Amino acid sequence: MVYPLTGNVEMANPDLPEDIKNDYNEAKDIVNISPRGAAALLRLAVQKLCIHLGENGKNINDDIKNLVKKGLPETMQQALDSVRVVGNNAVHPGTIDLNDNIEIAYALFGFVNIICEMLISQPKKVKEYYEKHIPENIRNGIEKRDS
């Protein structure tokens, strides 16, 4: 019997940085044979995403804390912490058994994409629109107003 490796996992957000997208796709390739391995790879992807967002990447918990201090919405903190905690429990003995509930691993893929959409894709779209449709002299006046 043929069993698809990737299951019902959504494609990676195209705005994910390439190295993070590679981790996401590797996790997608193994999720049905190793949900624990997939969760660990997604945790790594989130750690790299924190670096992409300006954090140092040495301690993912501190990185998330710093992003919260910078105004990270609570829902994004919860998504980041969900991937962090489940990913940690995948490689350390804990209370979450991904082998008994693969849907937990599937949910993490959606969280990574949601995080990317909110923290990378949406700001990118707004910036592109702003720079394309708001005349430079008006943007300069807005910058002057806000400085």
Side-chain angles (χ1 to χ4, degrees):
M1 182 161 86
V2 177
Y3 190 66
L5 291 178
T6 59
N8 295 325
V9 176
E10 60 192 80
M11 298 296 293
N13 183 312
D15 289 327
L16 275 173
E18 204 59 38
D19 63 325
I20 299 171
K21 198 181 300 181
N22 290 339
D23 293 334
Y24 182 100
N25 288 330
E26 184 178 348
K28 184 177 173 193
D29 288 344
I30 68 166
V31 67
N32 282 333
I33 56 175
S34 179
R36 291 175 56 227
L41 282 166
L42 292 172
R43 185 219 175 272
L44 174 63
V46 163
Q47 188 157 12
K48 290 179 178 179
L49 194 52
C50 287
I51 294 168
H52 180 79
L53 296 170
E55 298 306 318
N56 67 27
K58 292 179 182 171
N59 181 311
I60 190 172
N61 199 39
D62 288 343
D63 290 348
I64 294 169
K65 176 178 139 185
N66 290 335
L67 289 169
V68 167
K69 284 181 182 178
K70 294 176 184 176
L72 182 74
E74 182 180 7
T75 55
M76 291 302 95
Q77 168 266 308
Q78 292 172 348
L80 287 165
D81 278 324
S82 294
V83 178
R84 176 185 67 82
V85 169
V86 173
N88 283 348
N89 279 301
V91 295
H92 300 297
T95 58
I96 301 171
D97 186 355
L98 294 173
N99 292 318
D100 288 341
N101 192 349
I102 196 169
E103 281 71 30
I104 293 172
Y106 285 155
L108 300 182
F109 289 94
F111 288 161
V112 170
N113 277 335
I114 289 168
I115 293 162
C116 181
E117 177 64 27
M118 291 288 295
L119 301 180
I120 296 175
S121 300
Q122 287 182 4
K124 176 182 163 187
K125 289 174 192 171
V126 170
K127 183 177 183 188
E128 287 172 356
Y129 180 91
Y130 186 76
E131 290 176 351
K132 182 176 181 181
H133 297 288
I134 304 301
E136 185 177 0
N137 63 327
I138 294 175
R139 289 194 319 261
N140 290 339
I142 292 169
E143 288 175 24
K144 192 175 192 178
R145 173 199 73 195
D146 292 345
S147 63

